[in-house]
Amino acid sequence: MSVSVIIKWGGQEYSISSLSEEDTVMDLKQSIKSLTGVLPERQKLLGLKVKGKPAEDEVKLGSLKLKPNTKIMMMGTREESLEEVLAPPPENDDVVNDFDIEEEVIEVENREENLAKIARRVKDYKVEEMNPPREGKGLLVLDVDYTLFDHKSCAETGQELMRPYLHEFLTSAYEDYDIVIWSATSMKWIDAKMKELGVTDNPNYKITFMLDSAAMITVHTPKRGVVEVKPLGVIWGKYGEFYNRKNTIMFDDIGRNFLMNPQNGLKAHLNREKDRELYKLAQYLKEIAKLEDFSGLNHKHWERYLSKRQHH
């Protein structure tokens, strides 16, 4: 069943009809964010109540028993400018939100409601393919913000912000992997960044496609409440004949993004002085590309794995 509501804010009405009863209040807030630019944490929705109390983020819309096109008043201010909405989130809250995932993961990974959300993304999210998937290649999923791009430095241009060795890394990876960029920002932002870094039309490697925050899902974790994650199941569901948990690896600087697929995640660390990490990661990708199946690897120990192989 789909849920349709009309959000009243700033003298305007915004209608939202893309949600289902399985979606949560947080999903509604994300939709409102894409229409209004008001961040979820700044939104106050009047009249969304459960048993007389304001509905929490993880409450399913179905349980609110909303009539079609219910009008909901929103209070909340937009960030000063679009740049702030598109910019990657400030560092400090990641430190709080990022957690060691082992114990939470089992609960989250196989929860039916999460699998249902993934199934909906597979059905509804439109992937704009830039280059066709290649038979027999693995899949490397990369985050933009820190993994490719050091936005903490005080550089002025994209070129200066680029992680050292970026193009060499992508060129090397492309020999064995199709490359997908997945960022928790908007497609506009990712597009602009990739062009600025010279990634989009690089002669030495190709990007298969890019995913933005709309392909992410929110999951409810026992310890941290609602968090947004990047479920690889969305890609596997759309491209099952090419990619699966045996041939996919994902780099991200935020561990919680792997909550749904802890086996496939490698957490990238930055060391600004001697940022040779991408150089070493390129070698690791080469080593594991020889394997039929990555799923037995613990990417946490990637450096150890690499040095063992190189000394033989």
Side-chain angles (χ1 to χ4, degrees), residues 138-164:
L139 173 64
L140 172 64
V141 180
L142 297 172
D143 169 56
V144 180
D145 295 341
Y146 297 88
T147 320
L148 300 186
F149 189 79
D150 171 6
H151 75 226
K152 285 278 175 332
S153 79
C154 33
E156 292 302 304
T157 66
Q159 290 295 329
E160 294 168 37
L161 283 166
M162 196 163 66
R163 302 257 326 241

Side-chain angles (χ1 to χ4, degrees), residues 62-105:
S63 62
L64 300 175
K65 307 268 184 282
L66 300 167
K67 294 192 179 61
N69 291 327
T70 300
K71 292 198 171 178
I72 299 169
M73 287 277 295
M74 176 173 81
M75 314 273 288
T77 50
R78 190 184 281 157
E79 302 308 287
E80 307 325 289
S81 65
L82 193 60
E83 274 61 65
E84 294 179 36
V85 179
L86 296 183
E91 172 88 327
N92 51 11
D93 41 44
D94 284 341
V95 180
V96 185
N97 276 328
D98 207 17
F99 41 89
D100 237 351
I101 38 193
E102 275 73 8
E103 70 280 23
E104 302 230 42
V105 96

Side-chain angles (χ1 to χ4, degrees), residues 13-231:
E13 297 196 344
Y14 299 85
S15 88
I16 295 178
S17 53
S18 55
L19 296 168
S20 80
E21 299 194 334
E22 288 298 298
D23 283 312
T24 60
V25 171
M26 188 57 173
D27 296 318
L28 170 62
K29 288 181 172 177
Q30 289 293 346
S31 302
I32 295 174
K33 173 187 139 183
S34 50
L35 287 174
T36 62
V38 179
L39 299 179
E41 55 273 26
R42 303 232 170 175
Q43 297 172 20
K44 189 166 180 208
L45 301 175
L46 306 180
L48 277 195
K49 288 201 160 47
V50 180
K51 302 191 178 118
K53 288 202 182 71
E56 299 279 327
D57 283 348
E58 58 271 16
V59 170
K60 288 192 180 170
L61 299 175
S63 62
L64 300 175
K65 307 268 184 282
L66 300 167
K67 294 192 179 61
N69 291 327
T70 300
K71 292 198 171 178
I72 299 169
M73 287 277 295
M74 176 173 81
M75 314 273 288
T77 50
R78 190 184 281 157
E79 302 308 287
E80 307 325 289
S81 65
L82 193 60
E83 274 61 65
E84 294 179 36
V85 179
L86 296 183
E91 172 88 327
N92 51 11
D93 41 44
D94 284 341
V95 180
V96 185
N97 276 328
D98 207 17
F99 41 89
D100 237 351
I101 38 193
E102 275 73 8
E103 70 280 23
E104 302 230 42
V105 96
I106 316 314
E107 299 197 51
V108 173
E109 194 174 2
N110 301 311
R111 291 261 284 279
E112 250 169 54
E113 61 196 78
N114 296 337
L115 298 175
K117 283 185 181 178
I118 291 176
R120 277 210 302 287
R121 294 285 184 272
V122 171
K123 195 162 110 332
D124 301 331
Y125 185 85
K126 293 275 177 285
V127 171
E128 305 263 333
E129 253 178 51
M130 298 160 69
N131 292 287
R134 298 170 300 160
E135 198 67 55
K137 298 294 180 191
L139 173 64
L140 172 64
V141 180
L142 297 172
D143 169 56
V144 180
D145 295 341
Y146 297 88
T147 320
L148 300 186
F149 189 79
D150 171 6
H151 75 226
K152 285 278 175 332
S153 79
C154 33
E156 292 302 304
T157 66
Q159 290 295 329
E160 294 168 37
L161 283 166
M162 196 163 66
R163 302 257 326 241
Y165 197 69
L166 174 68
H167 293 302
E168 295 84 341
F169 166 75
L170 291 173
T171 303
S172 164
Y174 182 68
E175 294 168 2
D176 309 291
Y177 301 82
D178 282 344
I179 300 169
V180 164
I181 306 284
W182 193 343
S183 170
T185 51
S186 69
M187 193 50 88
K188 248 195 202 123
W189 190 85
I190 302 169
D191 231 7
K193 279 290 159 279
M194 292 298 100
K195 286 203 172 77
E196 197 181 342
L197 291 177
V199 167
T200 320
D201 38 20
N202 196 287
N204 301 319
Y205 56 84
K206 292 182 163 63
I207 302 297
T208 306
F209 53 84
M210 307 197 285
L211 301 177
D212 62 2
S213 60
M216 295 174 73
I217 63 169
T218 50
V219 300
H220 188 263
T221 63
K223 281 211 189 120
R224 299 281 164 169
V226 174
V227 297
E228 274 200 290
V229 302
K230 299 178 179 176

